[in-house]
């Protein structure tokens, strides 16, 4: 190492974190000496143990990988002290860090969070931003403390959430933005020019929404809500768990929708199919009509609603529950 190089440990797990790790490894002033990620988990129909995307990247680059079940243990904190990183970078890691761990690096622990803090602290900020109909979000880098996404903010950048933007599209945009912001933040910390800003918790409960972990139940469609609200739910959950509803005892995944320009006739009840055709399946909601353009029937692949209708009869008057 040269005198200009600092030692870094990276903590992250999913695809979202990979661009940040890649950017960190490409910094001339940073030596990534270790990667900490979640243990391999069984995935797919065969339940084969599969490494996280971050681990796969680290192995390709020849970086030492650590996969503790819990990073809070004295044993792992001791391991980190022996590595002696100058900085720890955390991106979508999936575990809470203890104060003992946070105190290890001399430059502190830096987190890349996919929201404009203090809004949308928590595990699923991108999804909840879309579900709640936000029109902008972004990335914030911050110094970590023992709270949940409550540390001092360092840098941030914003992006527009367009009306039909899906989670996958937002995810890809923010992961690239996070990588750029991380490089700028780390350089500022090395140079001693980083500016810390405390998060304003004034009225935080009213103004800063929390973003809890998603469950399969999050995707259940409430047809009494507005067409726009349902459309926001569908596009927010297009990776997992997917929005869904049942008809005649069968569970359908709803993957793509659009808010219809057709007004409800007022006589239809929420969840009732009011039209079918080449554009999709029109469903009445609590406010307006929504068009299902991509659907997945039980045991089938996802497909356009038009293709599904060619081989399956869904009649006007049928009702989603």
């Amino acid at each position: 190492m040269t005198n200009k190089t600092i030692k870094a440990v990276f903590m992250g797990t999913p695809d979202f974190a990979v661009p940040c790790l890649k950017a960190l490894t490409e910094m001339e002033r940073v030596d990534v000496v270790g990667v900490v990620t979640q243990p391999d988990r069984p995935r797919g129909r065969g339940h084969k143990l599969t490494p996280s995307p971050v681990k796969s990247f680290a192995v390709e680059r020849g970086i030492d990988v650590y996969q503790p079940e819990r990073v809070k243990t004295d044993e792992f904190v001791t391991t980190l002290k022996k590595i002696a990183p100058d900085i720890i970078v955390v991106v979508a890691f999936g575990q809470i860090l203890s104060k003992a761990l946070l105190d290890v690096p001399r430059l502190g622990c830096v987190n890349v969070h996919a929201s404009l803090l203090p809004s949308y602290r928590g595990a699923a900020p991108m999804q909840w931003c879309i579900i709640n109909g936000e029109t902008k979000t972004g990335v914030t880098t911050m110094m970590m403390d023992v709270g949940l996404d409550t540390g001092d903010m360092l840098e941030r950048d914003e992006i527009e959430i367009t009306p039909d933007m899906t989670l996958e599209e937002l995810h890809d945009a923010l992961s690239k933005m996070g990588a750029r912001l991380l490089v700028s933040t780390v350089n500022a910390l090395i140079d001693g020019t980083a500016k810390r800003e405390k998060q304003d918790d004034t009225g935080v409960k009213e103004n800063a929404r929390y973003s809890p972990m998603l469950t399969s139940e999050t995707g259940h469609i409430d047809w009494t809500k507005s067409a726009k609200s349902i459309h926001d739910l569908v596009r927010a959950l297009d990776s997992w768990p997917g929005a869904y509803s049942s008809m005649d005892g069968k569970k359908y995944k709803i993957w793509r929708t659009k808010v219809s320009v057709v007004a409800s006739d007022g006589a239809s009840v929420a969840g009732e199919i009011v039209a079918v055709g080449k554009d999709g399946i029109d469903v009445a909601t609590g406010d307006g009509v929504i068009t299902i353009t991509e659907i997945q029937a039980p045991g089938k692949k996802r497909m356009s609603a038009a293709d599904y209708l060619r081989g399956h009869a869904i009649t006007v008057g049928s009702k989603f529950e």
Side-chain angles (χ1 to χ4, degrees), residues 4 17 31 53 82 103-104 127 137 142 177-178 209 211 229 243 256 264 273 279 281 292:
K4 293 183 178 180
D31 182 17
K82 289 179 180 177
D103 289 343
V104 170
Q127 292 92 331
T137 187
M142 66 172 180
M177 178 183 288
R209 304 186 191 222
S211 54
S229 292
R256 290 286 187 275
S264 175
I273 295 174
D279 293 331
I281 303 166
I292 299 171

Side-chain angles (χ1 to χ4, degrees), residues 64-77:
D64 290 340
V65 176
Y66 304 85
Q67 296 178 273
E69 283 287 349
R70 294 176 66 246
V71 294
K72 287 185 175 183
T73 63
D74 292 341
E75 180 183 7
F76 187 70
V77 172

Side-chain angles (χ1 to χ4, degrees), residues 105-184:
R106 66 178 181 86
L107 292 177
C109 296
V110 177
N111 179 235
V112 178
H113 186 74
S115 82
L116 298 173
L117 291 172
S119 292
Y120 294 98
R121 295 169 176 165
M126 292 181 287
Q127 292 92 331
W128 287 106
C129 274
I130 297 176
I131 289 171
N132 291 331
E134 302 287 0
T135 57
K136 72 173 182 178
T137 187
V139 173
T140 307
T141 56
M142 66 172 180
M143 300 303 301
M144 297 181 69
D145 60 18
V146 293
L148 181 61
D149 302 326
T150 56
D152 291 352
M153 299 180 293
L154 297 170
E155 298 185 28
R156 59 163 52 191
D157 200 358
E158 295 184 1
I159 188 174
E160 178 188 5
I161 304 177
T162 56
D164 294 311
M165 179 180 278
T166 66
L167 173 66
E168 289 188 0
E169 293 166 341
L170 182 61
H171 170 282
D172 292 350
L174 292 187
S175 65
K176 293 174 183 176
M177 178 183 288
R180 295 194 302 270
L181 214 59
L182 175 62
V183 171
S184 174

Side-chain angles (χ1 to χ4, degrees), residues 2 4-6 23-31 187 190:
T2 68
K4 293 183 178 180
T5 303
I6 65 166
L24 198 66
T25 62
E26 293 173 352
M27 292 183 66
E28 293 183 359
R29 308 169 80 184
V30 177
D31 182 17
N187 277 324
I190 295 172

Side-chain angles (χ1 to χ4, degrees), residues 10 18-27 30-35 53-65:
F10 184 90
V18 173
C20 284
L21 175 55
K22 181 176 184 293
L24 198 66
T25 62
E26 293 173 352
M27 292 183 66
V30 177
D31 182 17
V32 180
V33 295
V35 163
V54 163
K55 178 183 177 179
S56 296
F57 180 90
V59 169
E60 289 176 2
R61 294 297 177 96
I63 305 170
D64 290 340
V65 176

